[in-house]
């Protein structure tokens, strides 16, 4: 269990440009401890970043079966659907992510949701989401960047 956790945390810590390394670490963790739902979610996100959307959805769905309240798994599933062009499903996932973190709503999830509204032609709803993100975190880089496009 310790080796699996160490491998999962190493994989989860992989930053931009290290997705292949993260994927390898997370796969190792899941070989040692297949029930680590957070490792499945992080591996799903790594797969999405590598453009492997179907594989990403498979891992994210497994993670959500193990932990239906995972705000990150729902958010990353939304990002995956967005990458696949399924905006309505992406929006549903982002809404679910926000429902699952009532006590701590993570600002970037609002930004992701705002981007979907923007793509769907609703600049008003996009701006509402960006403002919600900035209300939580006035320094949220994604929100500050996107606000320039919407306003």
């Amino acid at each position: 269990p310790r080796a699996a956790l160490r491998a999962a945390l190493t994989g989860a810590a992989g930053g931009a440009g290290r997705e292949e390394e993260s994927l390898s670490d997370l796969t190792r963790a899941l070989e040692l401890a297949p029930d680590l739902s957070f490792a499945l979610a992080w591996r799903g996100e790594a797969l999405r970043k590598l453009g492997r959307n179907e594989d990403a959805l498979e891992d994210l769905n497994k993670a959500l079966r193990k932990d239906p309240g995972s705000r990150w798994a729902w958010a990353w599933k939304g990002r995956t659907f967005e990458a696949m062009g399924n905006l309505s499903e992406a929006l549903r996932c982002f809404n679910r992510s926000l429902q699952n973190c009532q006590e701590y709503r993570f600002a970037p999830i609002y930004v992701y949701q705002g981007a979907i509204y923007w793509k769907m032609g609703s600049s008003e709803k996009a701006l509402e989401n960006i403002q919600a993100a900035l209300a939580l975190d006035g320094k949220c880089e994604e929100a500050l960047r996107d606000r320039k496009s919407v306003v």
Side-chain angles (χ1 to χ4, degrees), residues 82-132:
E82 179 182 10
M84 297 170 79
N86 188 339
L87 301 183
S88 60
E89 194 62 24
L91 189 59
R92 186 187 72 78
C93 292
F94 293 139
N95 284 330
R96 187 73 183 266
S97 177
L98 290 169
Q99 289 169 3
N100 287 332
C101 53
Q102 296 285 329
E103 73 289 345
Y104 175 66
R105 294 188 174 190
F106 197 64
I109 298 171
Y110 281 102
V111 177
Y112 304 154
Q113 185 168 268
I116 297 300
Y117 281 121
W118 177 257
K119 289 177 181 180
M120 294 173 99
S122 179
S123 58
E124 184 177 312
K125 284 207 168 260
L127 185 57
E128 285 175 18
N129 277 270
I130 291 167
Q131 289 171 334

Side-chain angles (χ1 to χ4, degrees), residues 18-150:
R18 298 186 54 205
E19 287 80 13
E20 289 287 352
E21 186 178 337
S22 292
L23 184 60
S24 177
D25 290 338
L26 291 161
T27 298
R28 174 157 165 62
L30 289 163
E31 288 167 356
L32 296 169
D35 290 331
L36 289 176
S37 62
F38 81 92
L40 280 164
W42 277 96
R43 188 171 74 173
E45 173 64 353
L47 288 162
R48 180 195 65 83
K49 288 180 177 180
L50 291 167
R52 295 174 52 188
N53 296 321
E54 295 295 333
D55 293 332
L57 282 178
E58 186 176 324
D59 273 1
L60 292 165
N61 286 331
K62 285 180 189 174
L64 288 165
R65 280 193 294 276
K66 294 176 185 302
D67 181 9
S70 171
R71 69 178 178 257
W72 283 112
W74 281 110
W76 291 334
K77 187 173 177 178
R79 300 283 312 260
T80 304
F81 278 120
E82 179 182 10
M84 297 170 79
N86 188 339
L87 301 183
S88 60
E89 194 62 24
L91 189 59
R92 186 187 72 78
C93 292
F94 293 139
N95 284 330
R96 187 73 183 266
S97 177
L98 290 169
Q99 289 169 3
N100 287 332
C101 53
Q102 296 285 329
E103 73 289 345
Y104 175 66
R105 294 188 174 190
F106 197 64
I109 298 171
Y110 281 102
V111 177
Y112 304 154
Q113 185 168 268
I116 297 300
Y117 281 121
W118 177 257
K119 289 177 181 180
M120 294 173 99
S122 179
S123 58
E124 184 177 312
K125 284 207 168 260
L127 185 57
E128 285 175 18
N129 277 270
I130 291 167
Q131 289 171 334
L134 290 170
L136 291 172
D137 178 2
K139 296 179 181 179
C140 178
E141 292 177 23
E142 298 101 328
L144 292 169
R145 179 200 64 223
D146 287 2
R147 182 175 63 179
K148 292 177 186 175
S149 300
V150 174

